[in-house]
Amino acid sequence: MTDKRAATQPQPPEGAMWGQLFRRSARPSLSLQGQIREMLVDAILSGILAPGESIPSSRELARHLGVARITVVLAYQQLAEEAFLLSRQRKGHFIHPDVLKGRTPGGAAASSPPGEGRRTDWSRRLWLLPSQQRSIVKEEDWQRYPYPFLYGQFDKELFPTAAWRECCLKALGVLDIRQWAPDQIARDDEMLIQQVQTKILPRRGVWASADELIITVGAQHALYMVADLLMREGTAVGIEEPGYPDARNIFSSRTSQVIPLPVDGQGLPVTPLLRQLDYLYVTPSHQCPTGVTMPLARREALLEMAEAHDIILIEDDYESESSFDGQPIPALKSLDRSNRVIYVGSLSKSLAPGLRVGYIVAAPELIRELRALRRLMIRHPATFVQRTLAMFISLGHYEAQQRRLAQAQKERHAALTAAMAEHAPGCRITPVRGGGSCWVQLPDNMPVQALAQRAAAHGVLIEPGDVFFARPGTPGSFMRMGYQSIPANDIGQGVKALADAIREEQPEK
């Protein structure tokens, strides 16, 4: 009986097997010590190493892995402190006998064999199918393409790594940890709120008290909460056409009365069509996706109509700081005298989209309910990120990053427009005053989805423009070309490769 049980136990790694385990868990982002720790933790939790089992001496494992012995010693010490290993004097290291205590034997898969029981029909339970909505699609491995003309992606050349690391370390100070580590329930980090009030909003001409401001997990989270509180079936919501697909999808999940409103070279026109609306979503600083800026006179006219017909304006100021001439027009919210503008902004788009930090400025009554709703969803955004970002702003890094980004975008925009004029003169670029992308009209009858596939084969990524329109099959072929994720020196060659794809895809006359 004992022999049979022993035969079913996993055999501990020997010799070359340690090298294979080490390579399997190798990650360049970890130190050698970290990789060894990760290898051992993975082997323990996956059952390769059993509780009570001995492991090689530090000298022996160092020889198997080709690393310094001190590296293994330090890894062993750390794992012993965390009760993964047990050190026995003169006998070596063993897997801690209680390391798996409290874990379900065999995992969930072992307790629920596949194929047993009646299959659940989820299709009749789902009242909403977000996966079926038309959304912007981007290649997951976009960074391996040499010419990614994608908007809103991370650019390692522009990310202030040293400054961000400095602020992370400052946020890990003992006193700061005591402030951000507890559950804040519905509150935000006070330091970040103060920095947004004093450093971010005034640049847009916006002033807000603490009870008029809430931090969100990006602008999309902000729009989702606003829609959740304010919209229901029958609510009339206006949205720009072409416009931001995620906003359209969020609003459409609450009401079927999402009304597309055509834009022109100055953004959304103020017409009698607006009078039928309860809410209007607008991107006046840089219209999404055309990038055009709404002039001051039109903003004032829009506010007048909104007040006259009791329309609430949802202003998405997603690229507020980016202006090629250094003179951004004040936000719509800065002109609001009746608290009918819900102002949505992003703090991470110009830094690193993966940080997912945004905010809403609105009437105190709305902010109070947004906080209560957010508590039901996520309680609050990660306060460590909030504190780090607050440090980043307070030390002047955010301001410096905005200047650096604006200059880079100006240079890249100039390079893109010059290259398009040279290599793709049949394409028309909508003039913009700032931002990280261009709206491009392709030659007539150009199949933009087919072009995107052909361009990808040339190493070029573009964003087909049809997703920005409410209905498929809109006349004209458009694409959005972002330049925030591609170095300026690569733009010329990238456009040349794109022009080759356009010629290959050009319909025969």
Side-chain angles (χ1 to χ4, degrees):
M1 193 71 177
T2 304
D3 293 339
K4 182 178 179 181
R5 197 165 50 242
T8 61
Q9 291 290 325
Q11 296 301 305
E14 295 182 0
M17 283 294 293
W18 283 105
Q20 291 183 24
L21 285 175
F22 187 59
R23 285 189 294 273
R24 189 176 74 176
S25 63
R27 281 197 291 153
S29 59
L30 287 177
S31 64
L32 285 175
Q33 182 192 143
Q35 292 180 53
I36 293 170
R37 288 172 54 194
E38 187 173 84
M39 171 192 73
L40 289 167
V41 169
D42 182 63
I44 293 168
L45 298 183
S46 62
I48 296 174
L49 297 173
E53 193 174 290
S54 65
I55 59 173
S57 67
S58 58
R59 189 185 305 277
E60 186 180 359
L61 186 60
R63 180 171 54 81
H64 288 318
L65 303 183
V67 301
R69 183 189 175 195
I70 186 62
T71 303
V72 180
V73 169
L74 292 173
Y76 279 8
Q77 287 177 350
Q78 185 68 39
L79 290 173
E81 290 175 8
E82 296 175 354
F84 280 97
L85 299 182
L86 184 64
S87 176
R88 293 176 178 164
Q89 194 171 10
R90 296 178 182 171
K91 291 186 178 181
H93 284 86
F94 298 80
I95 308 304
H96 199 290
D98 296 331
V99 70
L100 299 180
K101 190 174 182 180
R103 295 172 63 89
T104 303
S111 62
S112 180
E116 292 186 7
R118 183 178 176 182
R119 186 177 179 84
T120 302
D121 182 9
W122 288 105
S123 63
R124 68 182 182 84
R125 295 177 178 271
L126 291 165
W127 64 270
L128 180 66
L129 297 173
S131 65
Q132 303 303 308
Q133 293 178 319
R134 295 167 56 240
S135 302
I136 299 172
V137 177
K138 297 178 183 179
E139 295 283 348
E140 290 186 9
D141 59 345
W142 64 270
Q143 293 186 79
R144 75 175 180 85
Y145 288 81
Y147 310 115
F149 289 103
L150 301 177
Y151 173 75
Q153 290 290 17
F154 168 78
D155 184 350
K156 63 181 184 299
E157 291 190 357
L158 295 178
F159 185 72
T161 303
W164 185 254
R165 183 183 292 118
E166 173 198 3
C167 295
C168 286
L169 292 174
K170 288 182 179 296
L172 290 172
V174 173
L175 294 179
D176 285 285
I177 290 176
R178 289 176 182 173
Q179 292 177 4
W180 63 254
D183 182 0
Q184 305 295 329
I185 306 177
R187 300 190 307 277
D188 289 306
D189 184 83
E190 290 184 4
M191 183 177 180
L192 181 57
I193 291 291
Q194 292 170 0
Q195 292 302 313
V196 173
Q197 286 178 286
T198 59
K199 305 279 178 54
I200 304 299
L201 295 178
R203 288 174 58 93
R204 305 294 296 125
V206 177
W207 304 91
S209 57
D211 63 353
E212 294 177 302
L213 180 60
I214 183 174
I215 304 299
T216 65
V217 185
Q220 280 177 299
H221 178 220
L223 295 176
Y224 196 95
M225 289 201 300
V226 166
D228 222 21
L229 283 184
L230 302 179
M231 299 173 191
R232 62 188 185 280
E233 183 52 52
T235 301
V237 184
I239 186 168
E240 299 160 323
E241 174 79 353
Y244 183 35
D246 287 337
R248 184 177 65 235
N249 290 336
I250 289 169
F251 302 151
S252 296
S253 68
R254 272 58 174 199
T255 174
S256 59
Q257 301 301 307
V258 178
I259 302 166
L261 302 165
V263 299
D264 60 21
Q266 295 185 329
L268 182 71
V270 181
T271 70
L273 287 173
L274 305 185
R275 296 173 184 172
Q276 63 184 307
L277 302 176
D278 297 306
Y279 299 93
L280 171 61
Y281 171 79
V282 63
T283 54
S285 292
H286 297 284
Q287 198 276 328
C288 176
T290 65
V292 300
T293 300
M294 182 184 290
L296 183 59
R298 185 174 287 191
R299 297 182 189 216
E300 292 173 338
L302 179 59
L303 279 167
E304 287 178 13
M305 176 170 280
E307 185 157 359
H309 297 279
D310 195 23
I311 305 165
I312 297 298
L313 303 178
I314 304 169
E315 179 183 13
D316 189 344
D317 211 12
Y318 69 100
E319 238 180 4
S320 60
E321 302 289 347
S322 180
S323 175
F324 296 156
D325 57 15
Q327 298 295 326
I329 295 177
L332 198 63
K333 179 65 176 175
S334 71
L335 308 171
D336 179 21
R337 298 294 176 266
S338 55
N339 236 347
R340 65 177 54 256
V341 176
I342 301 171
Y343 183 76
V344 175
S346 170
L347 290 169
S348 53
K349 190 173 292 294
S350 61
L351 184 59
L355 291 174
R356 308 305 306 151
V357 184
Y359 56 88
I360 303 172
V361 179
E365 305 95 301
L366 178 58
I367 294 297
R368 182 172 60 248
E369 299 308 322
L370 285 168
R371 286 194 180 280
L373 175 63
R374 190 188 66 177
R375 178 182 179 177
L376 298 177
M377 300 171 72
I378 59 169
R379 298 179 83 81
H380 54 76
T383 44
F384 171 70
V385 175
Q386 290 192 52
R387 176 54 59 95
T388 302
L389 189 51
M391 296 275 193
F392 190 82
I393 297 170
S394 71
L395 294 173
H397 297 312
Y398 190 86
E399 178 81 17
Q401 173 68 5
Q402 295 303 319
R403 292 196 297 267
R404 185 163 49 246
L405 179 63
Q407 183 61 32
Q409 288 181 339
K410 184 176 181 179
E411 293 172 357
R412 295 178 189 191
H413 175 266
L416 179 64
T417 52
M420 290 291 285
E422 179 181 355
H423 300 295
C427 298
R428 188 178 73 84
I429 297 179
T430 299
V432 295
R433 292 181 48 191
S437 66
C438 283
W439 185 242
V440 182
Q441 184 166 10
L442 294 159
D444 290 342
N445 302 317
M446 174 67 66
V448 67
Q449 291 290 344
L451 172 63
Q453 294 180 13
R454 189 178 293 272
H458 285 262
V460 180
L461 294 180
I462 60 171
E463 294 180 69
D466 51 354
V467 71
F468 294 95
F469 292 90
R471 299 178 185 85
T474 301
S477 297
F478 299 89
M479 64 179 174
R480 182 169 70 168
M481 294 185 70
Y483 37 80
Q484 191 167 319
S485 310
I486 179 171
N489 293 336
D490 293 340
I491 287 176
Q493 285 298 317
V495 170
K496 187 176 181 181
L498 174 62
D500 291 339
I502 291 173
R503 281 190 292 271
E504 293 171 10
E505 200 60 44
Q506 191 89 38
E508 295 184 8
K509 297 182 178 179

